[in-house]
Amino acid sequence: MAECLFCKFVQREIPTQVVYEDEHAFAFRDINPQAPVHILVIPRVHVANLAEATPEQSALLGHLLWVCAEIARKEGIESSGYRVVLNTNRDAGQSVYHLHFHLLGGRHLTWPPG
Ligand code: AMP
Ligand code: ZN
């Protein structure tokens, strides 16, 4: 997607704080962190959100969750705990329409979310 900010991060057209990448996934630090660790994990391919994911992308979605767990290990928040959030469409407050898991940790997170 030519006008997608997160696609531009993946293509390295715009610099960002990359923390992980592989053949299918890309991860970088959120510009407005809501916790000491706030990382966004995205697919390299443009998928607008979970509602737009196809059956063929189910393995990709699973891989992205594994990447969240792997980054949490590397960031040292595995045993203290962390939360993975996937906002979808208006009521969830989705603001960037390239699917992204938020990996949040490094502090106590309240429940329920706002
Ligand atoms: P959401 O509201 O779930 O769509 O999340 C979008 C996230 O992208 C927010 O947490 C923003 O802070 C983050 N974000 C927006 N622009 C940038 C950017 N240029 N670099 C890193 N994170 C960004
Ligand atoms: Zn995109």
Side-chain angles (χ1 to χ4, degrees):
M1 279 271 288
E3 293 311 312
C4 174
L5 174 65
F6 288 2
C7 280
K8 288 180 177 164
F9 289 162
V10 170
Q11 300 305 325
R12 303 286 190 150
E13 286 174 30
I14 297 178
T16 190
Q17 279 192 61
V18 181
V19 297
Y20 176 94
E21 67 179 315
D22 64 26
E23 192 184 345
H24 302 292
F26 189 86
F28 53 96
R29 296 197 188 274
D30 196 291
I31 201 168
N32 182 23
Q34 301 301 310
V37 176
H38 188 173
I39 290 165
L40 302 178
V41 178
I42 71 174
R44 282 189 176 278
V45 63
H46 183 87
V47 182
N49 58 29
L50 189 60
E52 299 295 323
T54 65
E56 293 73 29
Q57 290 169 331
S58 57
L60 173 61
L61 294 171
H63 177 67
L64 294 172
L65 278 174
W66 176 84
V67 169
C68 289
E70 183 69 2
I71 295 171
R73 268 188 285 279
K74 288 179 179 158
E75 293 284 321
I77 56 170
E78 182 180 48
S79 59
S80 55
Y82 56 90
R83 186 171 293 163
V84 175
V85 174
L86 178 51
N87 294 322
T88 303
N89 283 333
R90 186 188 59 237
D91 275 357
Q94 184 177 4
S95 60
V96 178
Y97 280 77
H98 181 129
L99 188 150
H100 49 281
F101 288 98
H102 295 256
L103 170 63
L104 297 149
R107 68 168 172 85
H108 179 73
L109 300 164
T110 57
W111 190 264

